Amino acid sequence: MSRASGREYHQRLKGALDNTFLGQTLARFQGNYRGSRQAGFAGMDFEALAAEVGAAKDAALGHLEELYQQFKAKAEAAGATVHLAHDAAHAREIIAKIAAQTGSRRIIKSKSMTSEEIHLNRHLEAQGLKVTETDLGEWIIQLRGEGPSHMVAPAIHLSRSEVAELFTQVTGEKQDPEDIASLVEVARQRLRRAMLEADMGISGANFALASTGSIATVTNEGNARLVTTLPRVHVALVGLEKLVPDLNTALKILRLLPRSATGQLISTYVTWVTGAVECAANRGKKELHIVFLDNGRLALSQDPVFSQALRCLRCGSCANVCPIFGKVGGHNYGHVYIGAIGLILTYFYHGPEAAQELLGNCLNCQACKVNCPANIDLPGLIKKTAGLLLAEQGRPIKNQLLRRVLTNRPLFHFLLRRAYLAQKPLARGGRLIRHLPLFFAPDQEFRSLPVVAAEPLRDRWRRLAPKVPKPRLRVALFGGCLIDFVYPEQAEAFLGLIKGKGIQVDYARDQSCCGLPAAMASEEETAREVARQNLAAMEAEWYDYVLTLCASCASHLKKYPELLAGDPVWAGRAEHMAAKVIDLASFLQKEAGLEPAAAQGKAAAYHAPCHLCRGLGVHDASKELLREAGYDYRPYDDEEVCCGFGGSYSLDFPELSAAILERKLRQVAATGADTLVTDCPGCVLQLEGGLDHLGSPIRVRHLAQALAEAKDK
Amino acid sequence: MNQNELRQEFGRKAEAVSAVVTPVADLAQAFAQAARLTALQGGKCLAAPGWEGADLAALKAACEQEGLELITQGLRERTGEFHTGLTRARWGVAETGTIVVESSSEELRLATMLSEVHVAVLPAANLRADLFSLEQELDRTLADAPGYLAFISGPSRTGDIELVLTLGAHGPRQLHIMLLEEGS
C-alpha cells in the first residue's frame, strides 16, 4: 500500500467509525442476520451442504466453455441471442449496440452486481439513454450517485431519514421518515411508471442452466419479473461463472442462497426465463439477448488456487458476519464487490490498485469462511491475493524483516530477549505498559501492552519439567511466542493442572514461532521454512499429543500439511504432527479430567478464540470445563466474535481493532462477570490490554489459569 | 410426508411468508372467495387470463355476483385498473410455502405482477415436500421452450430501508392461495 493511499484509507475508516448511525444500523443488521440465518438453517447439515455446493460449482467451473456452448445452442434454439463479452468495455459496447439497434431510449434495470462491475449505467447514460434502477435499494443509491454498500442490501448504509429526505426532493412532497411503508410506496408508484414506459429491461441472473438455456433470477421485490416482462427488449448480463450444468445443481444452490443471504427459506420470486417468450409489445415475441461476461473469469477458472473465488453465490454472508464490515460498512470494505469475497474479486476484476488498500484489512477470524455456502476459504484467498500484490510490487521492509527474523530462530529469540530490556522502563515495574511512545506504535493507546517476561518459558523449563518416571501419556508442548516469552505463567498453570496424572511433558528447545505471522503477511515461503524447522524440532513421532495453549498456533500447526503439500520430505511429517495437535480444553476433557470443583460460583464470561471455535471447531469444551470447575458461566451474544487482535492486524488497523474490542468488552461487562476467560494468549493480550485501559476490574485469565485457580482454592 | 402432513407444512410455511391459505371444496368456491375479497377491498375489476369454458362461465357468474368486471386479455392496456389477478398454480412446495406458476402466457404474468392481490388456485393433490421432489416435472417444463416459470413464495417484499420488512414493493401486496380439495 502506498503511504498516501494508506493514509487516506485510514481516514475513511475513521470517518466511518465516527458515523454513529452507520454503526448502529450495521450492528442491528448483523445481529438480526445471525438469528435469521440460524433459524433458516435449523435442522440442516450446513457444512455438508456447503461442501456439496462447493464441489458442484467446482465441477461446473472446470467446464465453463463447454457449458457456455451448450447454453448458447439451447437458448438460441429457443429464440434468444447469446453474446460473449471478453471484458467490461466489450460488454458495455454490446449492450449499447443492442439499445441502438432496437431503438431503445428508456431502460429499466433489476439488480445486477455484474452490471455494477462493468459500470454499465455510466456508459449507457453517456449515450443519452435513460437508465432507471428498479430495486428499491439500487434506486436509492442511483438517485444519490453512490455505489452499493452491500450485495444484497445495497442501501444498508442509509437511515430512513436520509431516504425520506431524498424522496422529498424527488417527489417535491414532504415525506415522513417514520412511515417506511409510504416511502416504499413512493418507489412503487414512481418505478411502475418507468417500467411501463421502458423499451428495454436489463437484468442479471443467479443461474444460467446449460441443459435448457434458461436463466433464473432470485428476488424479493418482484422488480426483476417486471423488468423481464414489460419492455419489448430484455438483456440479461451474466457472469460466466453463473453457468451450471443442470437444474439439480441450481436447486442445490437455491437451497442455500436465500438462507445464507437473509435467512429466508427461499426468496419471494425465483423466475426462470427460457428463450424469447410472449411479448405483445414486440409483435408477440420478446427480443432476448443474453450477454455473458468473461472479464478474467475464464482464466481465473483455470487457476488451481484462485478458481475457488468463482464459486461465490453473491449471498453477501461474508459481509454479514464480518466484524470489520460491521464497523465500517461496504463503502469502506470493498470496491464494487464488498465483504471478504469483494477483497479478492476487486483484485481480479478491478485491478491491484483498487485492491491494495483493502487486502490487508482482514483479521483472519474465519467467520466468513465457516458461513460461506460455497465453502470458499475466504481468509486464505485474501492472504494469497495479497501475496500476488507483494510479488508484483515488491516486499515492504516489514515483510523483508519478518522473513529474515522468523527464519532464524536464534536471532528471533535474541531480539525477543532484547525487547524485555527495551520495555522495562516503560512498564514502571508492572506487567503492562500503559503508554507507548507514539513513534513506537501509533494509535495503540486503546489498550495497554504486556511486557516481555524477564525469564521466558524455555529458560524456566529445566525447573518446571514434570518428572514422571512411568508416563502413561507423552505430550510435546508447543509454546508459541506469546506463551514462551510473554505469558510463561499460563504454561505453568497448565503443568499444575496435570500434576500427578502420569503425563510427561517435554518442551523442545528448537521450536520457534508457529509461522502464522508470516502466513498473515502473505510470506508463504517463510511460513513453510518455519514449519519445517518446527517439524524437525518437535519430533512429534515420539509423542501422543502436541499440545498448545494458543488457539492460533494450534490451528496454524494443523495447516502445516496444506502448507507443505507436495513436499517430498516434509508433507508426511506435517500430516503426522497435525493429527496430534490438540488444544488445552479438548486435552483436559479427553485425557486428564479436573479436580473437584472449587471456584465457588465466581462469575465468568468466556471469549471463544477464532482459531479455536472456527479454526479447530471446538465450541463447548472450555465452557463445560469452567462450569465443571464451579464457575458461574455467563454467556453473551458475541462470544464467538473476534476480539479484534488478529496479530499484526491490531498494529496495522488500530482504529478498527479498538472498535471491535470495545463492542466485545461492553457485552462482557454487561454479563456482570468478574473474570473473562479465553484460551489464546493473543486474545488475552488484547482483552487484558483493553480492560486495563478502561480501568475495568474484570480480570482476564487463560483457561489454564482459571482452572488452576479454581483448583487452588 | 403424507398428504395431511404436506398440507399442514405447506400452510405453516406459506403463512410464515405472509401468504393466506384458504382451503376450498371446488373451483366455484375459489372463484366466489376471489370475487368476494376483491369486492371487500374495494376492487372493481378482476383479471383472470387462461380460464376457459365452464370454468370461465362460473368465474363470470362469481364476478357478476360481486359487481366486478372480469377481464381475460389486453391487460397491458388496463394497467392500474384490475385489483386482483386470478391464476392457477401448477404445484405447491411444502418446505418453503412456494407455489409454482407456469407463466409463459404474458397475460398471466401481467395478472400476477401488476395486480394488488394475487389469488392462485392450487390443487391440494399437487403439493410436494420440496423442490427436489419436483425436479423431473420442473426440468420438463423448462425444456419446453420458450417459457417463463415462476416460484412464488408470499407477496412482494423489501427490506431495503433499514431492513424493515415491507410488503408490496413492486408486485402484489397480498397472495391468497386457494387450496383446492376437488379431485385430490
Side-chain angles (χ1 to χ4, degrees):
Chain A
M1 173 182 338
S2 77
R3 259 168 188 274
S5 70
R7 215 171 10 238
E8 197 187 302
Y9 185 45
H10 280 280
Q11 268 159 13
R12 270 169 53 200
L13 294 175
K14 276 190 180 136
L17 289 170
D18 289 341
N19 180 343
T20 0
F21 170 78
L22 182 68
Q24 283 166 358
T25 311
L26 294 171
R28 200 176 40 189
F29 172 49
Q30 292 196 321
N32 290 347
Y33 172 76
R34 198 185 295 165
S36 323
R37 183 189 179 281
Q38 206 171 4
F41 281 111
M44 295 172 83
D45 183 350
F46 174 75
E47 219 173 295
L49 294 171
E52 193 184 16
V53 163
K57 283 294 283 183
D58 280 355
L61 291 168
H63 303 93
L64 282 185
E65 284 180 284
E66 273 170 67
L67 292 175
Y68 170 75
Q69 293 303 341
Q70 202 185 336
F71 179 95
K72 185 176 162 78
K74 287 283 181 185
E76 292 193 336
T81 309
V82 179
H83 310 254
L84 179 58
H86 302 296
D87 56 21
H90 189 200
R92 293 191 296 255
E93 254 166 57
I94 291 173
I95 296 172
K97 205 162 145 197
I98 297 169
Q101 281 169 351
T102 56
S104 301
R105 312 284 313 155
R106 286 160 300 191
I107 297 175
I108 51 169
K109 283 183 68 206
S110 57
K111 189 158 60 163
S112 154
M113 284 306 298
T114 315
S115 79
E116 299 281 355
E117 176 186 329
I118 65 167
H119 302 295
L120 180 62
N121 292 7
R122 213 188 295 161
H123 183 78
L124 296 177
E125 281 163 359
Q127 320 275 314
L129 303 171
K130 170 136 184 65
V131 183
T132 308
E133 293 285 352
T134 62
D135 173 85
L136 175 56
E138 286 283 342
W139 188 52
I140 291 170
I141 59 170
Q142 184 189 27
L143 291 171
R144 288 173 56 98
E146 290 178 333
S149 71
H150 188 280
M151 297 200 283
V152 174
I156 191 58
H157 58 290
L158 297 173
S159 69
R160 58 186 79 191
S161 318
E162 285 164 300
V163 176
E165 203 174 298
L166 179 71
F167 283 11
T168 301
Q169 282 169 22
V170 169
T171 59
E173 283 165 38
K174 182 91 191 111
Q175 302 293 332
D176 176 7
E178 290 316 310
D179 189 355
I180 288 180
S182 75
L183 293 175
V184 173
E185 194 60 29
V186 167
R188 182 182 169 100
Q189 303 300 343
R190 290 264 157 170
L191 294 171
R192 182 65 58 94
R193 220 171 303 152
M195 292 200 264
L196 288 165
E197 289 169 354
D199 308 299
M200 179 196 269
I202 300 179
S203 75
N206 294 87
F207 316 107
L209 250 59
S211 59
T212 58
S214 312
I215 51 170
T217 54
V218 179
T219 74
N220 276 327
E221 295 184 4
N223 59 318
R225 305 199 313 149
L226 290 158
V227 164
T228 57
T229 293
L230 291 173
R232 57 194 162 84
V233 182
H234 173 199
V235 174
L237 176 63
V238 189
L240 270 175
E241 82 282 12
K242 292 292 190 294
L243 280 161
V244 291
D246 49 29
L247 179 67
N248 183 267
T249 311
L251 291 182
K252 280 178 184 157
I253 294 171
L254 186 61
R255 182 164 50 184
L256 301 196
L257 174 59
R259 287 178 165 96
S260 286
T262 59
Q264 287 171 277
L265 305 187
I266 191 165
S267 302
T268 307
Y269 301 108
V270 181
T271 302
W272 307 79
V273 178
T274 315
V277 290
E278 265 183 41
C279 179
N282 197 49
R283 297 183 302 278
K285 223 174 92 185
K286 175 83 78 184
E287 175 153 357
L288 171 63
H289 294 266
I290 302 168
V291 181
F292 281 95
L293 178 66
D294 180 350
N295 204 23
R297 286 165 171 83
L298 277 179
L300 197 55
S301 73
Q302 297 308 309
D303 189 290
V305 175
F306 292 102
S307 62
Q308 248 193 75
L310 291 176
R311 290 182 194 160
C312 175
L313 313 179
R314 306 283 186 269
C315 71
S317 74
C318 56
N320 301 355
V321 299
C322 172
I324 299 168
F325 175 88
K327 285 291 171 190
V328 299
H331 284 155
N332 303 299
Y333 205 54
H335 182 64
V336 168
Y337 294 106
I338 58 100
I341 191 66
L343 271 53
I344 300 158
L345 292 182
T346 298
Y347 175 89
F348 290 102
Y349 295 163
H350 296 108
E353 219 156 280
Q356 65 176 2
E357 300 172 359
L358 302 168
L359 278 166
N361 197 0
C362 169
L363 280 157
N364 191 32
C365 79
Q366 316 274 316
C368 51
K369 180 180 170 178
V370 300
N371 281 285
C372 175
N375 200 26
I376 305 173
D377 178 9
L378 292 153
L381 287 190
I382 289 172
K383 294 303 165 201
K384 289 197 160 85
T385 311
L388 297 179
L389 263 186
L390 290 181
E392 284 160 21
Q393 303 183 342
R395 298 179 138 69
I397 289 173
K398 95 180 161 191
N399 279 55
Q400 294 179 25
L401 273 176
L402 186 75
R403 173 149 51 167
R404 182 137 15 120
V405 172
L406 272 195
T407 51
N408 184 341
R409 191 201 52 82
L411 171 64
F412 178 45
H413 287 169
F414 169 76
L415 290 172
L416 283 172
R417 286 169 201 274
R418 281 283 297 274
Y420 166 68
L421 296 174
Q423 286 182 342
K424 217 171 153 188
L426 298 169
R428 303 197 175 102
R431 284 298 319 267
L432 291 170
I433 301 173
R434 300 227 156 88
H435 300 286
L436 287 167
L438 282 177
F439 62 85
F440 183 64
D443 300 324
Q444 289 295 313
E445 296 277 313
F446 69 96
R447 63 172 178 202
S448 312
L449 287 170
V451 289
V452 169
E455 190 188 21
L457 179 62
R458 55 185 52 241
D459 294 356
R460 301 179 190 195
W461 193 255
R462 201 162 312 177
R463 223 167 51 234
L464 297 176
K467 290 170 188 58
V468 185
K470 276 194 188 150
R472 63 180 178 90
L473 271 183
R474 289 169 200 276
V475 171
L477 180 63
F478 186 85
C481 309
L482 279 174
I483 297 272
D484 197 341
F485 286 90
V486 180
Y487 297 118
E489 66 273 18
Q490 296 175 1
E492 289 192 30
F494 157 66
L495 294 175
L497 289 175
I498 55 156
K499 202 168 174 185
K501 294 184 188 250
I503 301 171
Q504 177 187 322
V505 184
D506 291 340
Y507 196 80
R509 265 199 81 81
D510 285 345
Q511 62 178 282
S512 185
C513 170
C514 66
L516 179 61
M520 285 289 290
S522 304
E523 289 290 346
E524 277 206 28
E525 199 33 64
T526 304
R528 271 191 280 272
E529 176 52 34
V530 175
R532 286 189 283 258
Q533 290 178 14
N534 280 324
L535 286 171
M538 295 303 290
E539 300 189 292
E541 297 77 4
W542 302 101
Y543 295 94
D544 299 300
Y545 289 104
V546 173
L547 184 141
T548 171
L549 304 176
C550 174
S552 302
C553 293
S555 84
H556 190 65
L557 296 180
K558 290 248 187 217
K559 282 223 154 161
Y560 279 10
E562 193 185 309
L563 207 54
L564 296 170
D567 184 318
V569 184
W570 297 98
R573 290 185 76 179
E575 293 275 357
H576 196 89
M577 180 161 102
K580 291 184 177 178
V581 169
I582 193 165
D583 62 284
L584 173 67
S586 305
F587 177 80
L588 290 177
Q589 281 197 329
K590 229 166 137 182
E591 298 290 357
L594 283 183
E595 302 293 316
Q600 292 162 345
K602 210 181 234 305
Y606 175 67
H607 164 67
C610 300
H611 292 103
L612 186 68
C613 64
R614 287 177 288 275
L616 300 185
V618 177
H619 294 274
D620 301 318
S622 307
K623 292 182 270 185
E624 285 164 8
L625 286 166
L626 284 176
R627 280 207 207 91
E628 209 181 309
Y631 282 96
D632 167 15
Y633 156 68
R634 305 274 176 92
Y636 58 96
D637 283 349
D638 282 6
E639 196 173 79
E640 292 199 344
V641 176
C642 181
C643 63
F645 178 57
S648 58
Y649 180 87
S650 61
L651 299 175
D652 294 339
F653 291 92
E655 64 284 68
L656 270 166
S657 178
I660 292 165
L661 173 63
E662 191 264 342
R663 179 183 157 98
K664 166 138 284 205
L665 294 181
R666 205 159 6 101
Q667 290 196 15
V668 169
T671 66
D674 47 31
T675 307
L676 174 57
V677 181
T678 187
D679 15 29
C680 182
C683 304
V684 169
L685 183 155
Q686 173 88 343
L687 298 166
E688 185 178 64
L691 287 166
D692 183 73
H693 176 75
L694 293 174
S696 163
I698 300 173
R699 314 162 320 142
V700 179
R701 290 292 181 269
H702 190 285
L703 178 70
Q705 295 168 302
L707 297 176
E709 284 170 16
K711 185 183 160 196
D712 290 344
K713 280 191 187 134
Chain B
M1 264 191 266
N2 65 33
Q3 185 63 22
N4 202 29
E5 287 167 334
L6 274 179
R7 222 169 292 193
Q8 281 183 9
E9 182 68 359
F10 178 77
R12 255 198 308 276
K13 293 295 171 59
E15 273 159 28
V17 293
S18 310
V20 181
V21 182
T22 310
V24 289
D26 51 28
L27 265 184
Q29 203 186 337
F31 294 157
Q33 293 268 5
R36 192 84 256 265
L37 73 90
T38 305
L40 280 175
Q41 294 179 3
K44 302 274 179 257
C45 176
L46 188 145
W51 299 91
E52 283 163 359
D55 294 347
L56 185 59
L59 177 56
K60 208 172 255 170
C63 287
E64 272 163 21
Q65 182 87 31
E66 299 291 345
L68 301 175
E69 182 190 0
L70 172 67
I71 56 173
T72 56
Q73 55 189 354
L75 266 54
R76 230 176 233 274
E77 281 66 51
R78 304 291 304 270
T79 302
E81 295 176 36
F82 53 91
H83 181 86
T84 302
L86 175 65
T87 72
R88 294 173 199 274
R90 184 83 62 95
W91 296 285
V93 181
E95 186 197 6
T96 50
T98 302
I99 55 172
V100 179
V101 181
E102 211 293 311
S103 307
S104 299
S105 144
E106 187 185 26
E107 299 285 9
L108 180 137
R109 260 179 282 149
L110 295 174
T112 66
M113 293 175 191
L114 296 176
S115 54
E116 299 291 292
V117 180
H118 178 198
V119 181
V121 181
L122 170 69
N126 293 357
L127 285 175
R128 299 287 185 277
D130 54 27
L131 286 167
F132 289 97
S133 6
L134 266 178
E135 197 181 322
Q136 285 183 350
E137 291 89 332
L138 294 172
D139 229 354
R140 271 199 297 273
T141 312
L142 289 175
D144 184 12
Y148 198 114
L149 184 68
F151 302 172
I152 301 175
S153 313
S156 158
R157 68 198 57 215
T158 185
D160 275 355
I161 302 175
E162 288 194 17
L163 295 171
V164 176
L165 179 69
T166 311
L167 297 181
H170 285 297
R173 301 171 199 271
Q174 295 179 11
L175 173 65
H176 290 265
I177 302 167
M178 302 292 160
L179 197 59
L180 184 66
E181 302 295 341
E182 182 188 67
S184 56

